[in-house]
């Protein structure tokens, strides 16, 4: 069973309070009412015994109903506040409703009080439910975002580690093999042509494997990104893209080469790669223009293709997981990604991320 309703009555006339209590009893409320008639007692009750409902007269000597409502709204904004008054004109009544009163009931028509209280309580319960649901949703969004950030950074660390191991350990082992093989080839008995041929074929095979190892390691995480920075990595990726696809890809880097914060560089680079992949799959473009510029507080990457143009539907669709991933990457660094398409003319992807977190060497630093 619900506990009795806690009602705070602001009323200077005990006889009127009695009539109000009577009206509530007649409406079958299970309640517990406290009457106060001064600002001090009113505030004391709000602080020490927060009520479920406030019923207030409009004219209280030394302390107006509007002031009371203002105090209640500040201290307990979710508690319904109903004026029960004999003096309120219709215009004043409407005005009080506009500025936050839940309802008003005239003392000459107290039969209205029961339904008015019921509705107020229903609405405040619904508001509370909605507020709680919104809070839960916000918390779960924040958790998801934190999880995404964590997964992305773990994934990037793992790729960097594997790329390094593949490059260093496999690369070294293969180089060692190649050296041993060339020693062996040099010491084969003269005239053993089949063995010589076999050694040459083996050597060629090792060369190809070395190339493959380099490619795999670079695809996992290009060393240029960590060693030379974002500008070099974008230029390298653009060249590689042009070579693989035959789509002309020009770069204009108007941001001086600086090693930005690794998270920022990684975000730009991965978004750039995703954009190029989309161009291969969807654009049907013959050229791509890439610019990187430094605004006062933001680093801006623009990738423009001359293909069919991304549709509004694709930009807005919840199914565009690739686009969502790009937006999310930028959002984690307080940045944004915008997509714009003109049918038949092409698509522009604009990435803006504040570089405040970036480590820019001071003037004159090496
Ligand atoms: N450069 C582009 N030109 C034209 N359309 C594009 C371009 N980039 C994206 N799109 C459209 O936007 C849609 C959503 O792209 P998104 O990257 O989210 O998904 P996807 O590439 O289809 O799949 P995924 O990236 O998950 O492999 C694409 O299916 C395509 O219709
Ligand atoms: Mg995609």
């Amino acid at each position: 069973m619900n506990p009795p309703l806690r009602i705070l009555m602001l009323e200077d006339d005990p006889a009127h309070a009695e009539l109000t209590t009577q009206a509530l009893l007649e409406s079958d409320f299970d309640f517990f009412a406290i009457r106060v008639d001064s600002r001090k007692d009113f505030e004391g009750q709000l602080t020490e015994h927060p009520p479920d409902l406030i019923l207030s007269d409009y004219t209280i000597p030394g302390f107006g109903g509007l002031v009371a409502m203002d105090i209640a709204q500040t201290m307990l904004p979710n508690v319904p506040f109903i004026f029960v008054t004999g003096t309120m004109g219709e215009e004043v009544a409407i005005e009080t409703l506009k500025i936050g009163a839940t309802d008003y009931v005239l003392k000459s028509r107290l039969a209205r009080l029961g339904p008015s209280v019921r509705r107020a309580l229903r609405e405040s319960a619904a508001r509370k439910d909605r507020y709680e649901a919104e809070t839960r949703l916000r918390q779960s969004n924040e958790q998801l975002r934190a999880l995404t950030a964590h997964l992305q950074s773990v994934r990037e660390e793992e790729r960097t580690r594997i790329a390094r191991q593949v490059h260093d350990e496999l690369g070294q082992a293969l180089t060692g093999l190649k050296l041993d093989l060339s020693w062996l080839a040099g010491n084969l008995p003269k005239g053993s042509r089949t063995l010589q041929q076999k050694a040459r074929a083996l050597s060629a095979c090792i060369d190809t494997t070395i190339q493959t190892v380099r490619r795999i390691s670079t695809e996992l995480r290009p060393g240029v990104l960590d060693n030379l920075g974002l500008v070099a990595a974008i230029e390298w990726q653009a060249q590689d893209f042009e070579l693989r696809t035959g789509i002309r890809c020009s770069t204009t880097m108007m941001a001086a080469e600086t090693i930005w914060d690794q998270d920022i560089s990684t975000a730009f680079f991965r978004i750039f790669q995703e954009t190029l992949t989309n161009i291969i799959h969807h654009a049907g473009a013959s050229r791509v223009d890439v610019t990187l510029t430094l605004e006062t507080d933001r680093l801006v990457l623009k990738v423009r293709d001359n293909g069919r143009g991304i549709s509004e539907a694709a930009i807005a669709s919840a199914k565009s997981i690739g686009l969502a991933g790009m937006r999310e990457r930028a959002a984690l660094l307080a940045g944004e990604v915008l997509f714009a398409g003109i049918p038949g003319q092409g698509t522009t992807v604009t990435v803006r991320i504040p570089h405040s977190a970036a480590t820019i060497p001071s003037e004159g630093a090496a």
Side-chain angles (χ1 to χ4, degrees):
M1 217 176 81
N2 289 333
L5 196 61
R6 224 172 214 298
I7 301 179
L8 180 59
M9 273 189 213
L10 183 55
E11 170 64 78
D12 59 320
D13 186 334
H16 285 172
E18 186 51 39
L19 287 174
T20 305
T21 306
Q22 209 53 46
L24 289 168
L25 284 173
E26 279 164 21
S27 297
D28 286 336
F29 281 106
D30 177 18
F31 68 98
F32 173 79
I34 291 184
R35 183 179 72 85
V36 291
D37 58 7
S38 72
R39 177 174 185 153
K40 182 164 158 281
D41 289 347
F42 183 64
E43 287 179 337
Q45 284 294 324
L46 292 184
T47 313
E48 280 160 39
H49 310 288
D52 303 310
L53 171 72
I54 299 167
L55 301 178
S56 171
D57 198 356
Y58 185 66
T59 43
I60 306 142
F63 178 38
L66 286 182
V67 178
M69 187 171 81
D70 195 38
I71 293 172
Q73 280 182 339
T74 310
M75 291 175 68
L76 299 173
N78 296 320
V79 174
F81 189 106
I82 299 176
F83 278 114
V84 182
T85 171
T87 50
M88 195 182 263
E90 195 156 351
E91 271 178 34
V92 179
I94 290 170
E95 198 48 40
T96 61
L97 291 181
K98 269 196 209 150
I99 59 176
T102 312
D103 199 2
Y104 73 97
V105 176
L106 294 176
K107 285 178 180 171
S108 54
R109 299 186 56 198
L110 277 178
R112 263 201 70 233
L113 185 61
S116 163
V117 167
R118 272 211 174 84
R119 200 189 62 196
L121 293 174
R122 226 178 17 246
E123 286 174 0
S124 106
R127 254 199 318 277
K128 187 158 160 264
D129 285 351
R130 200 167 52 232
Y131 175 77
E132 283 171 2
E134 279 169 6
T135 306
R136 278 198 299 275
L137 189 66
R138 203 178 44 248
Q139 283 169 345
S140 104
N141 271 341
E142 280 164 12
Q143 275 173 354
L144 275 180
R145 182 158 277 192
L147 182 65
T148 310
H150 178 67
L151 285 179
Q152 265 175 6
S153 90
V154 167
R155 184 164 167 245
E156 206 63 51
E157 276 168 26
E158 207 164 71
R159 291 178 79 129
T160 310
R161 186 174 51 79
I162 298 173
R164 224 162 256 157
Q165 274 178 357
V166 165
H167 181 271
D168 294 353
E169 293 179 23
L170 279 185
Q172 263 168 32
L174 286 167
T175 311
L177 271 183
K178 199 169 147 64
L179 284 175
D180 284 348
L181 181 67
S182 81
W183 180 86
L184 210 60
N187 287 285
L188 284 175
K190 301 266 177 280
S192 55
R193 282 187 56 193
T194 332
L195 286 180
Q196 297 275 6
Q197 267 173 2
K198 198 76 195 160
R200 269 199 298 279
L202 216 51
S203 173
C205 176
I206 292 176
D207 283 343
T208 321
T209 313
I210 288 175
Q211 292 302 327
T212 309
V213 163
R214 282 206 188 122
R215 185 173 48 74
I216 291 173
S217 151
T218 307
E219 275 171 11
L220 280 167
R221 178 161 175 112
V224 59
L225 185 58
D226 296 315
N227 301 329
L228 297 178
L230 180 63
V231 172
I234 287 181
E235 282 171 339
W236 167 81
Q237 184 69 71
Q239 266 171 27
D240 182 70
F241 169 84
E242 187 171 305
L243 222 71
R244 277 188 298 126
T245 62
I247 302 170
R248 170 107 184 83
C249 186
S250 77
T251 52
T252 313
M253 303 281 115
M254 289 189 283
E257 181 57 82
T258 315
I259 309 283
W260 279 286
D261 179 272
Q262 204 186 34
D263 287 345
I264 294 181
S265 299
T266 304
F268 271 106
F269 187 74
R270 293 299 184 206
I271 293 172
F272 181 49
Q273 283 186 317
E274 184 75 28
T275 304
L276 291 181
T277 308
N278 274 351
I279 292 174
I280 298 173
H281 288 158
H282 312 294
S286 62
R287 77 169 283 137
V288 178
D289 291 294
V290 185
T291 58
L292 186 72
T293 43
L294 195 56
E295 289 180 355
T296 339
D297 56 347
R298 295 182 300 184
L299 197 53
V300 184
L301 175 75
K302 265 191 213 271
V303 184
R304 207 175 63 227
D305 70 56
N306 66 347
R308 65 175 59 92
I310 189 169
S311 67
E312 287 297 324
I315 295 171
S317 169
K319 289 188 191 141
S320 297
I321 304 291
L323 307 189
M326 294 190 231
R327 289 192 185 104
E328 191 58 29
R329 256 188 199 280
L332 286 171
L333 295 167
E336 60 179 10
V337 183
L338 302 177
F339 304 91
I342 303 177
Q345 290 188 37
T347 301
T348 304
V349 179
T350 310
V351 191
R352 289 196 182 86
I353 298 180
H355 54 70
S356 47
T359 43
I360 301 173
S362 56
E363 269 270 343

